Amino acid sequence: MGPALKWRTPPPRCPYLRLSHLVVLAALFSFCSGTIQVTKTVKEKVVLSCDYNISTDELTTVRIYWQKDNEMVLAVMSGKVTVWPEYENRTLHDIPNNVSIMILALRLSDNGTYTCVIQKTEKGSYKVEHLTSVMLFIRADFPIPSITDLGNPSPTIKRIICATSGGFPEPHLSWLENGEEVNAINTTVSQDPETKLYTISSELDFNVTTNHSFICLVKYGDLMVSQTFNWKKSEAHSSEAQFPLWAILLILLSGVFVIGSCLAHSKYYLYYHSDLSSWKPKLCQYDSAALHDFSNSPIFSHFCKVYGNFSVSFTCLGGSAHSLDRHFATVCQAL
């Protein structure tokens, strides 16, 4: 036929559609015996039954209407079947068998209430003989989300993204760790203008120096899908966490500062004349008492704690002044 016609708008010269929408509504209230509910997913097929048997001989004397909400789907008049344009090439019918129809390749737009109306003649006019309603729910399931590594925005931070598409209704995505929701970044939701299906994605940053187990949870309607991401810190990251580069540099700078302070402010700097060859004999001229006093100074006690190997020359020897003399004699030979 021509363009799609709504139930409420009968086409000219078509007496079988002269039944007004008000009459159909009245029939719904008078004859409806309950609504059947059917749930299907996008691209599946569905069989809708009128739950009424008609013999082949009766087809010329009855009128059969299938409509979705206020729009016509299929009509049978005088044995002739007419399918409306939106359902052409994807709607089959089995009139003798429960007056059923089969809709193929379901779309989200097929969601709605389908009503089957059967009319028979009585005293020269058509009366509603049977009426059945089927509520069809179309669902589009989201596949299990995928989680992808996006690299490291910084040395100790990693970024991952969770995404899924092709579902309906509108989804909500959340990141969970230990049952608690964590903050995500760049969460986006989009809907295809033709299929009406949704796509959702969300990014998450986390610290690589600790272990993690994240759950990406996508909820849509009363359904949900999820994916888990586990991260185990490496030994290299553990070492960096214990001794980060900035801490090592700070220790080295502190050492340089302490040595500089020692040389600049200690009375023993008087024996250093910027010439290593002149510093050696001055060091070797120390007597035992002076060396013992030097080894117990606060400055070199600090060296003993921070630079253990260096302090062997001073406080770590301990013992008598004779042992200090013997040790510095060895130092002098080394110099």
Side-chain angles (χ1 to χ4, degrees):
M1 293 185 63
L5 298 174
K6 296 184 181 298
W7 182 271
R8 67 180 70 179
T9 309
R13 297 183 300 277
C14 295
Y16 60 88
L17 289 178
R18 289 176 182 172
L19 183 65
S20 68
H21 183 54
L22 292 177
V23 173
V24 174
L25 289 177
L28 288 172
F29 286 108
S30 301
F31 296 95
C32 185
S33 58
T35 301
I36 302 170
Q37 295 185 359
V38 178
T39 300
K40 292 291 182 178
T41 59
V42 170
K43 299 181 181 180
E44 282 189 332
K45 62 183 178 181
V46 64
V47 175
L48 305 178
S49 175
C50 194
D51 197 24
Y52 188 86
N53 292 320
I54 296 178
S55 65
T56 305
D57 296 337
E58 290 181 290
L59 288 178
T60 57
T61 60
V62 299
R63 292 176 177 176
I64 302 171
Y65 304 98
W66 270 104
Q67 69 177 50
K68 171 185 169 289
D69 299 327
N70 294 329
E71 297 181 352
M72 290 297 299
V73 176
L74 177 147
V76 180
M77 297 300 304
S78 301
K80 181 182 178 181
V81 179
T82 302
V83 178
W84 263 246
E86 186 179 348
Y87 297 90
E88 282 183 335
N89 302 321
R90 64 186 189 101
T91 302
L92 307 176
H93 58 85
D94 189 358
I95 301 304
N97 184 21
N98 291 326
V99 194
S100 60
I101 61 172
M102 177 186 292
I103 304 176
L104 307 174
L106 287 170
R107 309 166 182 170
L108 288 175
S109 59
D110 292 330
N111 190 84
T113 300
Y114 291 76
T115 303
C116 172
V117 181
I118 297 178
Q119 296 178 327
K120 285 188 175 182
T121 57
E122 182 179 331
K123 296 179 180 180
S125 63
Y126 283 94
K127 303 292 184 180
V128 176
E129 174 72 15
H130 179 80
L131 187 145
T132 297
S133 293
V134 181
M135 187 174 293
L136 178 61
F137 294 99
I138 305 299
R139 188 183 74 235
D141 290 332
F142 283 93
I144 295 176
S146 62
I147 298 180
T148 307
D149 187 345
L150 295 182
N152 297 66
S154 66
T156 60
I157 300 297
K158 181 172 286 295
R159 179 170 296 172
I160 56 178
I161 183 172
C162 177
T164 185
S165 62
F168 186 90
E170 184 174 357
H172 172 76
L173 189 152
S174 57
W175 290 93
L176 304 176
E177 185 175 28
N178 299 323
E180 300 291 334
E181 186 170 356
V182 295
N183 293 329
I185 59 174
N186 299 333
T187 298
T188 59
V189 181
S190 60
Q191 186 180 28
D192 188 291
E194 294 184 3
T195 66
K196 305 302 181 182
L197 300 178
Y198 285 92
T199 295
I200 189 169
S201 66
S202 180
E203 298 176 9
L204 178 71
D205 287 351
F206 65 91
N207 195 314
V208 299
T209 62
T210 56
N211 296 330
H212 296 280
S213 181
F214 296 111
I215 296 177
C216 173
L217 182 65
V218 178
K219 293 182 178 181
Y220 58 107
D222 57 351
L223 300 174
M224 66 181 67
V225 289
S226 65
Q227 181 66 278
T228 301
F229 178 85
N230 294 313
W231 173 263
K232 184 175 178 59
K233 65 179 181 180
S234 65
E235 294 183 1
H237 288 139
S238 300
S239 300
E240 291 177 4
Q242 294 177 4
F243 299 102
L245 180 61
W246 65 267
I248 296 174
L249 292 175
L250 182 60
I251 292 174
L252 292 176
L253 292 174
S254 299
V256 171
F257 175 77
V258 170
I259 293 174
S261 299
C262 172
L263 294 176
H265 301 291
S266 171
K267 63 181 179 180
Y268 304 102
Y269 177 66
L270 297 175
Y271 294 98
Y272 179 63
H273 303 292
S274 73
D275 182 358
L276 186 61
S277 61
S278 63
W279 179 67
K280 172 182 175 181
K282 293 297 182 181
L283 174 64
C284 297
Q285 291 173 8
Y286 281 148
D287 57 33
S288 297
L291 290 172
H292 189 275
D293 177 66
F294 183 64
S295 66
N296 288 329
S297 66
I299 294 177
F300 286 94
S301 295
H302 175 73
F303 274 119
C304 185
K305 294 179 182 178
V306 179
Y307 303 99
N309 293 333
F310 177 82
S311 63
V312 170
S313 302
F314 302 96
T315 61
C316 295
L317 284 176
S320 63
H322 177 69
S323 64
L324 288 170
D325 280 338
R326 185 170 62 251
H327 175 71
F328 277 100
T330 304
V331 172
C332 291
Q333 292 174 6
L335 294 174

